């Protein structure tokens, strides 16, 4: 009715006083510290090109918190290893700079070397992550990679790349990172989108309870 009123099709809005019910917000799904350690230390990746590519896909999501579309569109020229930064193009074509963890840097170097050995000069695209044919990755491939490996360490219902993005933000917050810094890293337009990560994990609740309750 607001739309029709704006277009001049109707003159009044009979639903103006109707208040829509508020829907509850679900807490984001994320891996706990133990599951994350298992993902990086216990899960075995093959040593061929696809295995090394899959590993960097997993670690890239966790170390940077980027969106799946941002990984799919990332090109080599946006990765600055000497400066330990990457530039990603987020929603609304907004650019942001994300720091690169030294461990991720080592894996990037390994992946790039493997990629060059696999395709040589014949690789048809400049995209960082590529398919086994050397082409731009499709989003379903990234989903399938994350789902396959995350399924090995957790029973969460959702096992999408967004779970690793949630894990990135939750672990940063749990370890004292400023929420405004997390907002910038995630590329959120406003702080309210980031505040969903201010949920308290059960481990922190138990710790606070044990420290503060007189009979704990």
């Amino acid at each position: 009715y607001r739309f029709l009123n704006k277009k001049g099709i109707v003159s009044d809005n009979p639903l103006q006083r109707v208040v829509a019910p508020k829907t509850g917000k679900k807490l984001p799904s994320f891996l706990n510290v133990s599951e994350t350690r298992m993902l990086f230390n216990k899960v075995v990746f093959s040593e061929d090109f696809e295995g090394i590519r899959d590993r960097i896909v997993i670690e890239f999501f966790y170390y940077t918190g980027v969106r799946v579309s941002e990984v799919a569109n990332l090109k080599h020229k946006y990765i600055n290893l000497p400066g330990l930064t990457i530039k990603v193009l987020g929603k609304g074509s907004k650019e942001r700079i994300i720091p690169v963890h030294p461990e991720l840097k080592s894996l990037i170097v390994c992946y790039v070397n493997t990629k060059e050995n696999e395709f040589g000069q014949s690789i048809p695209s400049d995209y960082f992550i590529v398919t086994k044919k050397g082409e731009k990755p499709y989003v379903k491939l990234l989903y399938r990679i994350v789902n396959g490996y995350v399924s090995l360490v957790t029973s969460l219902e959702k096992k999408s790349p967004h779970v690793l993005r949630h894990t990135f933000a939750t672990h940063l917050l749990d370890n004292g990172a400023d929420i405004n810094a997390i907002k910038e890293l995630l590329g959120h337009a406003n702080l309210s989108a980031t505040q969903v990560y201010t949920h308290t994990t059960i481990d922190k609740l138990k710790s606070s309870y044990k420290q503060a309750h007189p009979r704990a």
Side-chain angles (χ1 to χ4, degrees), residues 32 70 86 96 98 131-132 136 179 196:
N32 60 38
E70 294 168 347
I86 62 168
R96 71 183 188 279
I98 300 175
T131 68
K132 61 183 179 181
K136 178 183 177 180
I179 192 168
V196 67

Side-chain angles (χ1 to χ4, degrees), residues 143-175:
Y143 269 88
R144 190 164 67 239
I145 290 171
V146 173
N147 183 280
Y149 290 101
V150 171
S151 296
L152 299 175
V153 300
T154 184
S155 58
L156 288 173
E157 182 179 346
K158 292 184 178 180
K159 305 175 185 69
S160 68
H162 227 64
V163 168
L164 294 180
R165 179 170 161 88
H166 292 324
T167 303
F168 165 84
T170 300
H171 288 183
L172 282 178
L173 196 63
D174 282 354
N175 284 281

Side-chain angles (χ1 to χ4, degrees), residues 23-42:
T23 56
K25 289 185 178 180
K26 292 184 178 180
L27 292 177
S29 299
F30 63 94
L31 302 181
N32 60 38
V33 174
S34 176
E35 291 169 335
T36 306
R37 285 174 180 162
M38 287 179 60
L39 181 61
F40 294 137
N41 300 329
K42 301 295 183 181

Side-chain angles (χ1 to χ4, degrees), residues 127-140:
Y127 288 97
F128 177 63
I129 301 297
V130 295
T131 68
K132 61 183 179 181
K133 294 182 179 180
E135 299 171 346
K136 178 183 177 180
Y138 45 96
V139 170
K140 282 188 177 180

Side-chain angles (χ1 to χ4, degrees), residues 2 5 10 25 32 35 45 55 60 67 70 77 84 97 101 104 110 113-114 118 120 146 155 169 186 213:
R2 283 196 299 266
N5 182 257
V10 299
K25 289 185 178 180
N32 60 38
E35 291 169 335
F45 295 83
R55 183 177 183 90
F60 211 86
R67 301 178 179 93
E70 294 168 347
K77 63 183 179 181
L84 290 178
I97 303 297
H101 192 282
L104 182 60
C110 177
N113 290 336
T114 304
E118 181 78 10
V146 173
S155 58
L186 293 175
H213 199 286

Side-chain angles (χ1 to χ4, degrees), residues 27-28 30 170 173-174 195-209:
L27 292 177
F30 63 94
T170 300
L173 196 63
D174 282 354
Q195 287 174 333
V196 67
Y197 298 105
T198 57
H199 62 85
T200 307
T201 62
I202 187 61
D203 289 337
K204 297 208 77 174
L205 282 174
K206 287 180 178 178
S207 177
S208 297
Y209 179 86

